[in-house]
Amino acid sequence: MRYQAVLDRVHREIQPWIGGGEVAHYIPELARISPHKFGMAVVTIDGQAYAVGDAHERFSIQSISKLFACTLAFQLLGNELWQRVGREPSGTAFNSLIQLETERGKPRNPFINAGALVVTDVLARRFVRAETAVVEFIRRLIAVPDVDYDPRVALSEMAHAQRNRAIAHFIDSFGNMRMPPDLVVEAYCRQCAISMSCLELARAGLFLANGGVAPISGERILDPSSTKRLSALMLTCGTYDAAGDFVYRVGLPAKSGVGGGILAVLPGDMAVCVWSPGLDTNGNSHAGVQALELMTTYTGRSIF
Ligand code: GLN
């Protein structure tokens, strides 16, 4: 597949979309990022890398970190994880509290904030610092030792984390937290503040396209069946309330974040990451979703 030619074409055609949408304002450090950034990278399981635009520049991965945290928790607990967090799309905003009341503190899935807070609780119980476990896992995946979280972004989010604190305490009130909720929220904010580039994220996601083995380290991360299951969750829940529309347009399992990044995988072939900070009303990158739609249209390749 001639991915570079496709990326170049997408980069040309996406120009009118760049700058559209709104940069996340509720985390002040993210509001400072230029909405005119755009980067996209494809890495194939046989090690070829293709990139356009700002694909080498690091940005805040935000909710894409939920994918790596969930992988670690799934490694630790296996199917027991699903006793504490569900596997259904929520159909509500990523930071919603509504379903927690009627569903008695069991979040719908691990890719909305409520579910990710339960996942972080699992990690916080097992590791001295949950966020360090996630950072070290990513470093190992891509063999890049200086990947880290940005303390300014983490502090900025912690200072405005009333909603996530409310979610964590609400879950705790139903008995679905093992660690102190405020400790869990702080670990979660640091994990969301990890900075990576499109190229690094595509490399990190490659184990999902490769049956659970990280091609760079050769390490088995998940067995093939668990890899299938995690990718299925990305497909149904990875882009929040817009998961249906995203799958219709793009046709790949993906995880997005309010930093404007989206990581998607094509099993057996490649991982792709796109970044553009302007968000649509669901919190997904406005230009990013369109760029992925163009890419799967021009390559004719998706999971369907
Ligand atoms: N850190 C953000 C939050 O908890 C992540 C949300 C996102 O990327 N959708 O609000």
Side-chain angles (χ1 to χ4, degrees):
M1 179 51 65
R2 293 167 38 105
Y3 279 118
Q4 190 62 50
V6 173
L7 287 185
D8 289 337
R9 180 172 178 195
V10 170
H11 194 201
R12 275 195 309 276
E13 293 180 11
I14 204 67
Q15 294 304 317
W17 292 71
I18 300 175
E22 287 266 335
V23 174
H25 287 290
Y26 74 103
I27 302 176
E29 275 296 310
L30 295 186
R32 297 176 44 230
I33 311 292
S34 162
H36 298 288
K37 298 282 181 186
F38 177 88
M40 193 167 184
V42 169
V43 181
T44 59
I45 56 177
D46 58 9
Q48 304 298 314
Y50 309 90
V52 288
D54 302 308
H56 295 266
E57 185 171 329
R58 286 183 172 166
F59 60 93
S60 193
I61 72 170
Q62 292 296 315
S63 280
I64 303 176
S65 65
K66 294 178 167 102
L67 177 61
F68 302 108
C70 183
T71 304
L72 279 180
F74 202 20
Q75 274 183 343
L76 283 176
L77 296 190
N79 286 331
E80 243 180 78
L81 180 61
W82 311 126
Q83 287 167 14
R84 297 189 54 196
V85 55
R87 306 189 298 249
E88 287 293 338
S90 67
T92 56
F94 65 85
N95 56 4
S96 173
L97 282 116
I98 291 172
Q99 287 158 345
L100 285 174
E101 170 77 346
T102 50
E103 298 175 9
R104 307 203 53 77
K106 181 175 177 181
R108 275 286 172 101
N109 67 68
F111 293 150
I112 52 172
N113 289 14
L117 286 161
V118 170
V119 165
T120 301
D121 179 67
V122 169
L123 301 183
R125 186 118 197 258
R126 170 67 176 71
F127 300 102
V128 178
R129 287 170 70 100
E131 69 276 19
T132 306
V134 178
V135 165
E136 283 177 355
F137 175 48
I138 293 170
R139 287 179 181 165
R140 251 194 0 260
L141 278 176
I142 59 175
V144 177
D146 75 338
V147 166
D148 216 337
Y149 68 85
D150 180 336
R152 277 174 314 153
V153 174
L155 281 175
S156 177
E157 179 164 0
M158 278 176 214
H160 297 83
Q162 296 89 339
R163 186 170 266 271
N164 284 330
R165 287 188 204 280
I167 293 173
H169 282 273
F170 202 28
I171 293 172
D172 189 36
S173 77
F174 289 103
N176 196 14
M177 282 276 163
R178 306 287 180 265
M179 302 298 284
D182 288 317
L183 180 146
V184 171
V185 170
E186 295 195 358
Y188 167 84
C189 289
R190 292 194 193 97
Q191 162 206 305
C192 286
I194 294 172
S195 293
M196 293 171 75
S197 68
C198 289
L199 267 165
E200 288 170 334
L201 274 167
R203 289 203 171 97
L206 216 46
F207 76 92
L208 289 164
N210 194 38
V213 174
I216 294 167
S217 64
E219 182 182 344
R220 173 161 290 287
I221 307 299
L222 292 174
D223 63 73
S225 168
S226 303
T227 308
K228 174 195 77 177
R229 294 174 197 281
L230 198 63
S231 304
L233 276 174
M234 290 166 76
L235 189 72
T236 53
C237 309
T239 46
Y240 324 115
D241 206 4
D245 186 60
F246 182 87
V247 175
Y248 178 84
R249 290 173 61 189
V250 177
L252 295 176
K255 184 73 206 86
S256 63
V258 293
I262 309 174
L263 171 61
V265 293
L266 179 58
D269 188 359
M270 59 91 186
V272 52
C273 182
V274 63
W275 170 51
S276 195
L279 306 177
D280 62 24
T281 50
N282 292 305
N284 298 315
S285 171
H286 172 72
V289 177
Q290 178 66 14
L292 289 169
E293 176 174 357
L294 290 175
M295 189 186 116
T296 52
T297 303
Y298 294 150
T299 58
R301 289 194 182 181
S302 72
I303 65 163
F304 300 106

